[in-house]
Amino acid sequence: MKISYRREFKHNYLIVDPEELCWQGYESQMLSRNPVEGTLRFQIRQMDDGVRFYYEITSKQPLSRILGNRSIRAEEIRKLVTGIFGVLERMEVYLLREEIILLDPQYVYVDPDSFRIWLCLVPGLGQAFPEGFGKLLEYLLGSVDHQDKESVVLAYGLYQETRKENYGLEDLGRLLYRGNGEDREETRSWDKPRQEEAKDYEGKIDEGKEGEGASLLALRNGEDRSECRQKSRNAGKMENSEKGSKKEGRWKARWNQWKGKFVPEPDKEEESIPVRVPWEMMFRPEEGENGSPKAVAETACAGQGTALLADFTENNEQRMLRALDPDGTDIHLSYYPFIIGKQENLVDFILDRDTVSRLHLRIDRDGDKYQIKDLNSTNGTLLCGRLLENNEQAELNTGDEVCIARYRYRFE
């Protein structure tokens, strides 16, 4: 399976080449005709060299990019996990397998403001959901704010739960709203809604019997037969309508009852849970040249135990994007990677313009060379007059003109 990106006018797409996946059949047809809420919009396109899956990702950002600039908070973890569970519920309605969910952080898309998620469903994919979900939680554990006790305890607790054999959604749900002080076993049981539906169904049967008896009684009392038949038909239509709406809203009722338990009561304090988190689970170490993990800095200060985050002594020449428009502002590139956009707290320079995306572009440095990368922006990034593809990275040279949406700059 190969993954690429493409820009078409004002739309950005993630493209999947299924290659050897057995994608033909029910899943591909169902996804193309029935968009599932919480998933990327899916299209099948026939190319000269085969079939491609197109997913609409305009104005959406991958989880890995969002968490590459900041930590994740406890409430965002709850939204992310409950969002995934909600998609699982809706997939069940369409008889779709959970194995087709691509849970790699690069392909889990979120809204930076609300942390609403969109999952990528790939027909024919056979990824084991428990394993993929466990890896996603391990990634989140390495992205939490280590000074935030609630985030650390929640992320580590969820990760530890996924390492157990045959863990269930109920077990993860209990951890998400732990401390609510409610009867968790009773309120979080997935069987309870089904039991209530069974009782409702039995009551409807009893009501049907009563309606049938009333019709017979009306006949005995001499009512007009055609009028009785009409009443019976109307009652049948109402019953069918109720059954249809009941079936249609069954998953919604279960989900609403389930997800409502994640909101903690405001006046109750969070239960203190002592958890020992192994230090190696709190960081995602990089691999050195010899294959061993390396720290943030290559060396530590002589005689001190503090590692240097960066070496500021060499090549202090500061680059900039000089504004070419009269009302523009120069952008000084004081460090790298440097992200430009209009999303406060996620970018290094806020370019607050209507046509600029929240995360528009990123500039990186590798030695004496510089690269510019479009971050799936809506209106695009032009480099020397050429429109970059979404997520395309290109070399940036001194004197190159960069157009962010329609605002012009020169790299100096």
Side-chain angles (χ1 to χ4, degrees), residues 74-86 89 133 150 154 158 168-180 182 184 187-188 190 254-266 270:
E75 187 58 33
E76 292 171 338
I77 295 176
R78 292 189 180 95
K79 290 180 179 179
L80 186 68
V81 175
T82 54
I84 293 175
F85 289 174
E89 277 289 296
F133 190 62
E150 182 185 8
L154 178 60
L158 291 171
L169 300 187
E170 299 91 342
D171 303 318
L172 298 177
R174 261 192 299 274
L175 293 174
L176 286 176
Y177 73 101
R178 176 179 288 175
N180 262 13
E182 298 179 4
R184 301 174 182 83
T187 57
R188 288 282 308 181
W190 285 80
R254 291 204 302 267
W255 171 242
N256 288 334
Q257 180 178 0
W258 181 77
K259 74 175 182 179
K261 303 304 176 184
F262 290 103
V263 182
E265 295 179 2
E270 188 76 16

Side-chain angles (χ1 to χ4, degrees), residues 3-190:
I3 295 179
S4 58
Y5 301 90
R6 185 174 181 179
R7 183 191 304 277
E8 293 182 358
F9 300 104
K10 299 297 182 181
H11 297 276
N12 298 327
Y13 294 97
L14 180 149
I15 305 172
V16 174
D17 182 356
E19 293 184 318
E20 299 179 356
L21 293 179
C22 298
W23 59 270
Q24 299 92 337
Y26 172 80
E27 290 175 339
S28 57
Q29 296 300 320
M30 179 61 71
L31 287 174
S32 61
R33 297 177 184 178
N34 299 280
V36 181
E37 184 182 352
T39 64
L40 296 174
R41 188 180 302 172
F42 173 81
Q43 300 178 23
I44 300 178
R45 296 192 186 182
Q46 184 68 48
M47 304 296 179
D48 293 337
D49 57 345
V51 168
R52 299 291 185 276
F53 299 155
Y54 274 62
Y55 299 87
E56 173 81 50
I57 59 173
T58 307
S59 300
K60 301 176 178 66
Q61 296 295 335
L63 181 65
S64 58
R65 182 174 297 161
I66 298 296
L67 298 185
N69 303 310
R70 65 174 180 85
S71 302
I72 188 170
R73 299 183 292 272
E75 187 58 33
E76 292 171 338
I77 295 176
R78 292 189 180 95
K79 290 180 179 179
L80 186 68
V81 175
T82 54
I84 293 175
F85 289 174
V87 172
L88 288 173
E89 277 289 296
R90 291 185 281 274
M91 288 175 62
E92 183 181 347
V93 176
Y94 295 102
L95 304 179
L96 297 171
R97 299 176 301 118
E98 61 185 20
E99 288 82 5
I100 67 175
I101 302 178
L102 194 57
L103 287 174
D104 191 304
Q106 296 182 64
Y107 312 115
V108 175
Y109 284 80
V110 299
D111 183 279
D113 291 326
S114 63
F115 235 72
R116 177 188 175 188
I117 70 161
W118 292 271
L119 299 181
C120 182
L121 306 185
V122 182
L125 187 66
Q127 184 182 73
F129 179 82
E131 179 182 348
F133 190 62
K135 290 181 178 179
L136 178 63
L137 290 176
E138 183 178 357
Y139 173 83
L140 295 181
L141 180 59
S143 302
V144 298
D145 182 358
H146 306 147
Q147 304 301 320
D148 183 357
K149 178 182 177 182
E150 182 185 8
S151 300
V152 172
V153 170
L154 178 60
Y156 184 69
L158 291 171
Y159 172 73
Q160 283 292 84
E161 194 66 36
T162 60
R163 299 188 67 182
K164 297 179 181 178
E165 189 175 357
N166 299 324
Y167 72 88
L169 300 187
E170 299 91 342
D171 303 318
L172 298 177
R174 261 192 299 274
L175 293 174
L176 286 176
Y177 73 101
R178 176 179 288 175
N180 262 13
E182 298 179 4
D183 187 351
R184 301 174 182 83
E185 293 297 333
E186 182 179 356
T187 57
R188 288 282 308 181
S189 174
W190 285 80

Side-chain angles (χ1 to χ4, degrees), residues 319 336 363-365 368-372 394-396 411:
R319 296 289 189 140
Y336 303 92
I363 296 178
D364 295 283
R365 175 184 170 185
D368 295 331
K369 295 183 178 180
Y370 298 85
Q371 292 87 30
I372 184 171
E395 186 172 348
L396 183 62
F411 181 62

Side-chain angles (χ1 to χ4, degrees), residues 360-378:
H360 200 103
L361 66 87
R362 186 181 73 200
I363 296 178
D364 295 283
R365 175 184 170 185
D366 183 12
D368 295 331
K369 295 183 178 180
Y370 298 85
Q371 292 87 30
I372 184 171
K373 182 175 184 179
D374 180 84
L375 299 181
N376 190 26
S377 63
T378 301

Side-chain angles (χ1 to χ4, degrees), residues 214-226:
S215 298
L216 292 174
L217 182 60
L219 284 173
R220 291 195 189 106
N221 291 335
E223 289 188 9
D224 183 72
R225 291 178 179 271
S226 61

Side-chain angles (χ1 to χ4, degrees), residues 183-355:
D183 187 351
R184 301 174 182 83
E185 293 297 333
E186 182 179 356
T187 57
R188 288 282 308 181
S189 174
W190 285 80
D191 294 331
K192 185 177 179 181
R194 294 187 175 93
Q195 294 170 1
E196 291 178 353
E197 290 168 7
K199 291 180 181 179
D200 292 341
Y201 181 71
E202 291 173 1
K204 195 169 290 296
I205 292 176
D206 294 337
E207 291 175 3
K209 291 179 179 179
E210 292 177 2
E212 183 180 354
S215 298
L216 292 174
L217 182 60
L219 284 173
R220 291 195 189 106
N221 291 335
E223 289 188 9
D224 183 72
R225 291 178 179 271
S226 61
E227 185 178 349
C228 291
R229 283 197 296 269
Q230 185 63 34
K231 287 182 179 179
S232 179
R233 279 196 291 269
N234 292 339
K237 288 180 181 178
M238 290 179 63
E239 182 177 352
N240 291 335
S241 175
E242 290 174 2
K243 284 184 179 179
S245 61
K246 187 75 175 180
K247 183 177 179 181
E248 197 173 89
R250 187 172 299 167
W251 67 269
K252 291 183 179 178
R254 291 204 302 267
W255 171 242
N256 288 334
Q257 180 178 0
W258 181 77
K259 74 175 182 179
K261 303 304 176 184
F262 290 103
V263 182
E265 295 179 2
D267 297 328
K268 294 191 177 182
E269 297 183 356
E270 188 76 16
E271 179 182 351
S272 179
I273 309 167
V275 177
R276 294 184 60 189
V277 183
W279 69 268
E280 61 270 16
M281 293 303 304
M282 300 302 299
F283 302 95
R284 292 192 297 273
E286 300 178 10
E287 291 294 326
E289 294 181 358
N290 58 356
S292 61
K294 63 180 181 179
V296 177
E298 296 291 341
T299 59
C301 297
Q304 299 180 11
T306 304
L308 291 173
L309 291 175
D311 187 359
F312 297 101
T313 59
E314 61 176 356
N315 198 355
N316 287 326
E317 179 186 2
Q318 187 179 99
R319 296 289 189 140
M320 67 181 297
L321 290 176
R322 185 176 298 279
L324 301 180
D325 299 317
D327 58 342
T329 303
D330 295 342
I331 303 175
H332 296 272
L333 310 175
S334 52
Y335 50 85
Y336 303 92
F338 195 91
I339 297 179
I340 300 173
K342 64 180 179 183
Q343 178 67 50
E344 189 177 359
N345 299 325
L346 283 182
V347 299
D348 302 295
F349 182 85
I350 300 176
L351 188 57
D352 193 9
R353 310 282 182 158
D354 293 339
T355 54

